[in-house]
C-alpha cells in the first residue's frame, strides 16, 4: 500500500482564495476591510519568519494588517496595555500575540487580556470552553487545519471512527481531541504516561501525532489504511545535504508510514500551511460576528 499524500499546501491555497473572495464581498457590501493585528515581542528568528508570513498573506487577501514589533525587554504591563488598546480599536477584528513570549511575561495573562471575540488564535478560555460545549466559537488554527485535512481524506462524516491523539498540549492535542469528539469520533488521548502507545496507535482509524519528537511514530504503529495527521515540525541534522545542514521532519517516520497508512500529511507541506490559512479565515469570521453580518462559507 502506498498512502495518499494529503496536500496541505494546496488546501491552504484554496482557503486563502475563499478568504480573498469573502473580503472582496465584505468591502463591496459593507464598506470595511477586516483587520488582523499581530504582536511580536523579542527577536526569536522562527517567530519573525512566521509573523512576516502572516502579515504578507493577510495583505494578499485584501485585509488590513496591523503589526506591532516590541523589544524583548518590553514590560508585561506595556504588552497588556497594547492588547487592551487593540481590543478597543474598531479597525482590528483579530488579535494574535505570537508565542512564545519572553520568560518575564505571563502568557496566560496576555491570552486572558484578549477580547474573546477577537481571539483568532482560539486560545482564550471562553473559546476553549465553547469547544468543550460543542458551541460555535473561534477554533484554534492548527487543530482546525487538522480536522479539515482529515475530512479531505475521509469525507465530512467521521462518525464512529477511532481516533488517537498523541500529545495533550493546549495548543494542539487537547483541542484537536475535542474537535474530533464533536465530529462523533471515539477519541483516545495518549501522552508520556500512557502505557503501550504503539498498541494503542494500531487501533486508530485516525492518528494525530503532536508530540514534537522526530519520527517517533513508526510504520508498525499504524493500522493499515489509517489516516495519519502529522503535526510535528522538527529540525534535525541532514548530513546527506552537506556538513551542518538540517531538514524538517515530522513526528511520524514518513517513509515507513507511507507503506501502511491510507493517507498521510507530509512535513513540510501538510498541517503547517493550514495554520495561517485558518488564521485568515478566523479573522473574517470574527469581523462578521462582531458586526452581526452573515459569515461566508470558508
Amino acid at each position: 500500500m502506498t498512502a495518499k499524500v494529503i496536500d496541505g499546501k494546496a488546501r491552504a491555497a484554496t482557503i486563502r482564495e475563499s478568504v480573498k473572495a469573502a473580503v472582496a464581498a465584505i468591502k463591496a457590501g459593507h464598506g470595511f476591510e477586516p483587520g488582523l493585528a499581530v504582536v511580536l515581542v523579542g527577536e526569536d528568528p522562527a517567530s519573525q519568519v512566521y509573523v512576516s508570513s502572516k502579515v504578507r498573506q493577510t495583505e494578499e487577501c485584501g485585509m488590513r494588517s496591523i503589526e506591532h514589533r516590541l523589544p524583548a525587554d518590553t514590560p508585561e504591563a506595556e504588552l497588556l496595555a497594547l492588547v487592551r488598546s487593540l481590543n478597543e480599536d474598531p479597525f482590528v477584528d483579530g488579535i494574535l500575540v505570537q508565542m512564545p513570549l519572553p520568560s518575564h511575561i505571563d502568557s496566560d495573562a496576555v491570552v486572558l487580556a484578549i477580547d474573546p471575540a477577537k481571539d483568532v488564535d482560539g486560545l482564550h478560555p471562553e473559546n476553549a470552553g465553547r469547544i468543550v460545549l460543542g458551541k460555535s466559537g473561534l477554533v484554534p488554527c492548527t487543530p482546525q487545519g487538522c480536522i479539515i485535512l482529515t475530512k479531505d481524506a475521509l469525507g465530512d462524516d467521521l462518525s464512529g471512527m477511532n481516533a488517537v491523539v498523541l500529545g495533550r498540549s493546549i495548543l494542539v492535542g487537547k483541542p484537536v481531541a475535542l474537535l474530533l469528539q464533536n465530529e462523533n469520533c471515539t477519541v483516545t488521548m495518549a501522552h508520556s504516561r500512557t502505557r503501550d502507545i504503539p498498541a494503542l496507535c494500531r487501533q486508530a482509524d485516525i492518528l494525530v501525532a503532536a508530540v514534537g519528537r522526530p519520527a517517533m511514530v513508526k510504520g508498525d504503529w499504524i493500522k493499515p489504511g489509517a489516516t495519519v495527521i502529522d503535526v510535528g515540525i522538527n529540525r534535525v541534522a541532514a548530513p546527506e545535504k552537506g556538513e551542518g545542514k538540517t531538514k524538517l521532519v515530522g513526528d511520524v517516520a514518513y517513509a515507513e508510514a507511507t507503506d501502511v497508512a491510507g493517507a498521510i500529511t507530509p512535513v513540510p507541506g501538510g498541517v503547517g500551511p493550514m495554520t495561517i490559512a485558518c488564521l485568515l479565515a478566523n479573522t473574517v469570521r470574527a469581523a462578521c460576528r462582531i458586526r452581526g453580518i452573515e459569515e461566508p462559507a470558508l
Side-chain angles (χ1 to χ4, degrees), residues 83-291:
V83 169
R84 286 191 289 268
S85 71
L86 295 173
N87 287 341
E88 300 300 321
D89 189 335
F91 295 107
V92 172
D93 300 292
I95 301 170
L96 185 145
V97 179
Q98 183 66 38
M99 303 293 175
L101 289 167
S103 59
H104 68 281
I105 296 177
D106 182 351
S107 59
D108 289 340
V110 174
V111 170
L112 281 170
I114 299 172
D115 181 349
K118 297 186 177 186
D119 169 40
V120 287
D121 232 3
L123 298 180
H124 192 282
E126 181 173 320
N127 285 317
R130 287 182 174 275
I131 298 176
V132 174
L133 296 172
K135 304 294 185 182
S136 175
L138 291 171
V139 176
C141 303
T142 300
Q144 186 182 151
C146 291
I147 299 300
I148 292 170
L149 295 181
T150 301
K151 288 185 173 183
D152 283 353
L154 295 171
D156 288 340
D157 187 4
L158 306 180
S159 298
M161 293 188 181
N162 289 324
V164 172
V165 178
L166 300 180
R168 54 179 171 179
S169 73
I170 62 169
L171 296 177
V172 180
K174 288 181 178 178
V176 83
L178 289 166
L179 291 171
L180 286 164
Q181 284 183 337
N182 291 344
E183 296 291 340
N184 299 312
C185 293
T186 300
V187 182
T188 303
M189 183 183 293
H191 46 78
S192 59
R193 304 294 178 90
T194 300
R195 297 178 182 176
D196 201 352
I197 292 177
L200 185 65
C201 290
R202 293 185 195 108
Q203 301 173 30
D205 303 307
I206 301 166
L207 178 59
V208 181
V211 290
R213 291 179 59 183
M216 172 181 165
V217 178
K218 308 305 181 186
D220 62 2
W221 292 26
I222 297 168
K223 177 181 178 179
T227 294
V228 179
I229 306 296
D230 190 349
V231 186
I233 300 180
N234 310 285
R235 190 166 289 282
V236 300
E240 71 277 8
K241 295 173 131 183
E243 186 177 352
K245 298 294 185 179
T246 62
K247 63 181 177 181
L248 292 178
V249 300
D251 291 347
V252 178
Y254 185 78
E256 297 177 22
T258 54
D259 290 336
V260 186
I264 188 169
T265 58
V267 177
V271 174
M274 295 293 289
T275 299
I276 296 180
C278 290
L279 171 69
L280 301 174
N282 271 356
T283 303
V284 172
R285 292 186 186 103
C288 293
R289 291 172 188 178
I290 288 168
R291 292 168 176 79

